[in-house]
Amino acid sequence: GEDVEQSLFLSVREGDSSVINCTYTDSSSTYLYWYKQEPGAGLQLLTYIFSNMDMKQDQRLTVLLNKKDKHLSLRIADTQTGDSAIYFCAGGGGGNKLTFGTGTQLKVEL
Amino acid sequence: NAGVTQTPKFQVLKTGQSMTLQCAQDMNHEYMSWYRQDPGMGLRLIHYSVGAGITDQGEVPNGYNVSRSTTEDFPLRLLSAAPSQTSVYFCASSYDRRGEETQYFGPGTRLLVL
């Protein structure tokens, strides 16, 4: 099955850009997702990208997909303290069958 | 729309007890699934359903049963609770229309098995 890996922790200063990385093993995933989880809360879908796309931009968020290296990244521009959370990448072929990474805890410092 | 709702929010069980975690969605989504979240392991798929009357196992199905008698509801049953089932459980639903899939998660149920 799919294996999805993320670095565990990232610390940035407010106003800087954050880049959260993810690698995956199963190239058959149709969609690749980024979720945000704040403490004690559920998962919030931030954005997703089709596997046939290289890049998707949505306001402060930029998703890059390198299919050759099976590498997915999420860039958050002008990071704010409200962006502090755990970020999960996930891959899936549809039907709610998602494989999640272990999550990256983003800490934004003043 | 209420979205995806889960009850209870918190539950404490003794080893060997059984219980049902409830999940409901009012968005007429075809797909529903259950995940558990454990520290350092992300979310893992327990069971999923692609429509009423159709269910299948995910990555970690042992100790859990599901059924999908209606489109709206997808309960998760713990048959005989074990401490290893202490976790946070998330229910999710989605549709897939015109190639655009959107996933919705419930707020989670925190379960402690003593």
Side-chain angles (χ1 to χ4, degrees):
Chain A
E2 175 86 88
D3 202 15
V4 182
E5 293 188 0
Q6 298 178 239
S7 52
L8 291 179
F9 191 76
L10 176 66
S11 179
V12 300
R13 289 184 180 272
E14 189 177 41
D16 287 350
S17 293
S18 307
V19 179
I20 303 171
N21 295 302
C22 174
T23 58
Y24 59 95
T25 58
D26 186 355
S27 57
S28 67
S29 291
T30 307
Y31 308 93
L32 294 151
Y33 303 86
W34 283 104
Y35 285 87
K36 176 184 180 182
Q37 185 180 36
E38 297 184 51
L43 275 75
Q44 173 194 354
L45 177 65
L46 287 178
T47 187
Y48 65 91
I49 188 169
F50 291 108
S51 58
N52 62 359
M53 295 171 65
D54 297 323
M55 186 183 86
K56 181 178 180 181
Q57 186 149 4
D58 185 0
Q59 298 181 334
R60 291 192 298 123
L61 305 178
T62 303
V63 179
L64 295 177
L65 175 60
N66 181 328
K67 291 181 282 294
K68 175 175 170 289
D69 295 336
K70 297 180 183 175
H71 182 264
L72 181 74
S73 67
L74 174 70
R75 179 177 179 269
I76 305 172
D78 187 24
T79 313
Q80 302 297 308
T81 54
D83 294 324
S84 292
I86 300 177
Y87 290 80
F88 292 93
C89 64
N96 258 128
K97 291 171 60 181
L98 297 179
T99 300
F100 284 84
T102 52
T104 299
Q105 179 149 11
L106 174 64
K107 182 179 178 183
V108 182
E109 299 175 326
L110 295 172
Chain B
N1 285 351
V4 181
T5 57
Q6 291 184 237
T7 56
K9 290 184 179 178
F10 302 98
Q11 183 70 49
V12 179
L13 291 179
K14 293 181 179 179
T15 297
Q17 287 184 314
S18 63
M19 78 160 294
T20 299
L21 280 65
Q22 301 291 344
C23 174
Q25 52 91 9
D26 60 358
M27 297 171 282
N28 201 32
H29 285 172
E30 302 139 304
Y31 306 130
M32 297 185 75
S33 52
W34 277 101
Y35 295 85
R36 60 178 287 173
Q37 183 179 28
D38 301 297
M41 298 187 75
L43 281 78
R44 292 179 293 168
L45 181 65
I46 304 171
H47 285 285
Y48 66 97
S49 169
V50 299
I54 306 169
T55 64
D56 207 345
Q57 296 181 349
E59 182 186 352
V60 287
N62 292 342
Y64 307 95
N65 272 357
V66 291
S67 59
R68 184 100 179 267
S69 55
T70 66
T71 300
E72 294 78 21
D73 300 299
F74 191 43
L76 178 73
R77 296 181 189 84
L78 278 71
L79 308 171
S80 177
S84 61
Q85 293 179 305
T86 293
S87 188
V88 182
Y89 292 84
F90 289 100
C91 178
S93 73
S94 73
Y95 61 82
D96 187 1
R97 294 178 198 147
R98 297 190 300 273
E100 188 169 316
E101 180 169 304
T102 302
Q103 312 268 349
Y104 294 83
F105 278 80
T109 293
R110 283 157 177 75
L111 177 67
L112 173 63
V113 183
L114 301 173

